[in-house]
Amino acid sequence: MDIYDIIRTRRSVRAYQDQPIPEELLQRLLEAARSAPSASNRQPWKLIVVRDPERRRQLAIAAREQMFIAQAPVVLAAVALDPERVFTCEVPGYPVDAAIAVDHVTLAAAAEGLGTCWIGAFDQARVRQILQVPDTQKVVTLLPVGYPADKPSERRRKPLEALVAYETMS
């Protein structure tokens, strides 16, 4: 499968098989994140790999009780190490840099037959406590990773014309 097929067919997975991810496969996913570009090549993020079933359960509860998160054999937490940094274009840098790294993981996972789901609905303070993340840092997302238990249906997308402008916004 080429990269365009992976991009087109990747889906958010909300049901996982009870099957561990081999260590060498997990390392390939983490390497995909490490290879992601970031502003000034700072890589101002850290991924926390959560395998412990009880900690995954606590994260699922902190994420509005989305218990499918605890089904995944691995949950990655992307943590911004410098959440105060703002690009010169006045855009906060931490969600951009972390998102690029996490998206590399989602695509690499899809290429390996794994499923993921970007989780943004969670209690920041509670997740920080569970993962022992300092208050000076920010958890950007939780990413359950595992073998899909079902095949999510295709999602409708807006037509390209609704999403792209040429030369100016108007």
Side-chain angles (χ1 to χ4, degrees):
M1 190 174 334
D2 75 6
I3 188 69
Y4 294 103
D5 290 333
I6 294 165
I7 291 168
R8 192 173 38 261
T9 59
R10 191 215 68 81
R11 300 286 178 265
S12 293
V13 172
R14 292 179 175 83
Y16 297 92
Q17 296 176 32
D18 184 17
Q19 180 180 350
I21 297 172
E23 183 61 28
E24 63 277 2
L25 177 50
L26 177 60
Q27 290 303 311
R28 283 197 302 270
L29 300 182
L30 298 173
E31 186 63 35
R34 190 177 78 85
S35 299
S38 63
S40 303
N41 197 32
R42 292 181 182 187
Q43 297 177 290
W45 50 264
K46 185 169 269 196
L47 293 179
I48 300 174
V49 178
V50 181
R51 293 182 180 148
D52 178 69
E54 177 56 24
R55 195 174 311 267
R56 293 191 333 256
R57 188 185 72 76
Q58 290 174 14
L59 289 173
I61 291 168
R64 296 188 174 177
E65 300 193 19
Q66 298 179 79
M67 299 313 291
F68 72 89
I69 295 168
Q71 284 181 348
V74 171
V75 176
L76 299 178
V79 179
L81 304 178
D82 184 11
E84 300 302 316
R85 184 158 188 260
V86 176
F87 295 154
T88 57
C89 62
E90 301 177 18
V91 172
Y94 77 90
V96 174
D97 285 336
I100 295 168
V102 172
D103 199 47
H104 273 52
V105 173
T106 66
L107 294 175
E112 297 281 2
L114 296 170
T116 60
C117 186
W118 184 285
I119 306 294
F122 59 88
D123 180 311
Q124 180 73 221
R126 182 70 187 117
V127 170
R128 273 192 195 136
Q129 180 184 28
I130 293 164
L131 299 175
Q132 300 177 10
V133 174
D135 288 343
T136 58
Q137 299 171 355
K138 187 169 270 191
V139 179
V140 177
T141 189
L142 300 174
L143 190 76
V145 183
Y147 293 96
D150 59 13
K151 184 173 166 84
S153 61
E154 187 171 331
R155 300 285 186 219
R156 290 187 307 176
R157 294 288 185 226
K158 292 179 181 180
L160 197 56
E161 303 80 41
L163 300 170
V164 177
Y166 292 90
E167 307 303 337
T168 66
M169 251 335 241
S170 52

